[in-house]
Amino acid sequence: MSNEKQQLKKEYFPINEQLRSYLDKYKRLTKTNVFYDDLLRFQGAISVFDKEGKDTLWVRVYYNEYERAEIDKNLKKIYTLLHSDGNESSFAFLNVDQIDFCTFGNSKPFRIKVRNILNDNYTHFYIKKADASRIYGLELEHILSPNRINYLVFRDTIIEEHIVGIPGDIFIENNLKECTEHEKAQIAKQFVKFNERCMIGLLGDMRSYNFVIIPIYDFDQLVFKIRAIDFDQQSYEGSFKLYKPHLFKENFQYNQLVQNKLSQSSIEQYQNEERSVLVKRLRDSKTRIHDLLQAMKSTALAPKEHVEQLGKEIYDYTLDVNFKKADSMGEIVEAALNFMKRNFRFEGDD
């Protein structure tokens, strides 16, 4: 893939009025006064190490006493808006334990740890500079996948709920060897479905460290789900290969599971299952997906050459001329979803 190398650093795409209207309509906006740039004014930081003493490339930041009091109040407010109704009566029982800053990657987020002092339960959320392409990725995930996404936007800042799970690269290193053969087959099945969702929704850069494995205990077995946690490369790359997780070298072991545990007929069955379920989700979200695509088509999410390359490559794959005619990434996503609806119809559909 050397000739298809992904551009790891891409520009931020601002939220335009059409996208902001969409976010307002679907209750994604908040008026709480939290700015990403405010958090950048920290006075000092120390490195954060994991349990094995390895540098995580996160740093724990500190603020002067006056600014910290105001920041803590606003962060508690954000926590209550994400998880409840924004009522301030619970502030006395909440403590902002840590504010960590990520020093690598595109979005350079802040990770906030909020703890309930009555029982020591805690959770995390993230504050990032808002990027239109990331927001479209979050919304497409919310509509098209089995997962619900919880986030809020304040001007040019985005606040995201933490997605629980084991990062895919850590799972390979620490957990996969402990899985039974049946559990490995479960993971293979979910990777096929995950791969299909990313390809159809044009979510790029799904290397193993950008998704999580979620073990779920059923009454007589352990099952697994796979969720994306990074949406920065939504509808940006020009190469169709970069929207197919199974082609990344970082995902080699997951792809090997698919090859070793599933027959070709099973792979095709799971692909068809995911496409069919996706079309059902589209059918149940007609108004919302229409509004999202209208906003998406109004935003330039990638260089023109990326749009032209991707449209041509998907046309070669599907022979659907709408891909070749597309003038924006929004139109390519719309063509992909319309292609799915035409080819996976159900009895009783219009």
Side-chain angles (χ1 to χ4, degrees), residues 26-153:
Y26 292 99
K27 311 302 180 187
R28 295 296 199 182
L29 297 183
T30 180
K31 296 180 180 179
T32 298
N33 187 24
V34 174
F35 289 100
Y36 176 86
D37 289 344
D38 289 342
L39 295 179
L40 288 173
R41 298 202 303 267
F42 50 85
Q43 300 297 302
I46 59 171
S47 296
V48 176
F49 298 90
D50 64 17
K51 293 179 180 179
E52 297 178 353
K54 296 179 182 177
D55 191 345
T56 64
L57 303 182
W58 289 78
V59 294
R60 190 147 298 149
V61 299
Y62 301 94
Y63 301 84
N64 66 49
E65 186 176 349
Y66 172 77
E67 286 192 320
R68 180 62 191 246
E70 184 67 20
I71 287 171
D72 278 11
K73 179 182 177 182
N74 289 330
L75 293 177
K76 290 177 185 179
K77 181 68 174 180
I78 285 295
Y79 171 87
T80 61
L81 287 168
L82 276 174
H83 297 283
S84 183
D85 59 359
N87 193 310
E88 297 185 8
S89 62
S90 63
F91 280 17
F93 311 116
L94 299 176
N95 190 69
V96 179
D97 278 5
Q98 298 164 2
I99 302 176
D100 296 339
F101 178 59
C102 184
T103 58
F104 67 96
N106 286 321
S107 58
K108 293 188 176 179
F110 285 91
R111 180 177 62 200
I112 317 300
K113 179 182 177 181
V114 177
R115 177 173 55 90
N116 185 311
I117 63 176
L118 298 178
N119 52 38
D120 272 348
N121 285 328
Y122 64 87
T123 189
H124 296 90
F125 63 88
Y126 299 85
I127 296 180
K128 307 173 183 180
K129 193 171 183 64
D131 176 24
S133 58
R134 183 177 185 86
I135 291 172
Y136 288 123
L138 291 166
E139 282 295 318
L140 287 168
E141 176 79 0
H142 184 80
I143 297 170
L144 301 180
S145 83
N147 310 306
R148 302 282 69 83
I149 296 289
N150 191 11
Y151 73 94
L152 294 168
V153 174

Side-chain angles (χ1 to χ4, degrees), residues 177-230:
K177 58 182 176 292
E178 305 296 333
C179 292
T180 67
E181 296 307 307
H182 173 71
E183 290 167 352
K184 290 177 181 178
Q186 277 265 358
I187 296 168
K189 170 186 173 181
Q190 292 302 322
F191 189 73
V192 169
K193 294 192 170 192
F194 176 69
N195 191 82
E196 202 67 16
R197 288 197 302 274
C198 294
M199 182 182 69
I200 295 168
L202 295 184
L203 178 59
D205 195 25
M206 281 299 105
R207 305 166 197 263
S208 57
Y209 46 77
N210 286 331
F211 60 82
V212 293
I213 308 296
I214 307 171
I216 302 172
Y217 286 91
D218 200 358
F219 71 95
D220 64 348
Q221 64 177 333
L222 183 64
V223 298
F224 298 86
K225 300 294 183 184
I226 300 180
R227 288 191 64 174
I229 58 172
D230 191 318

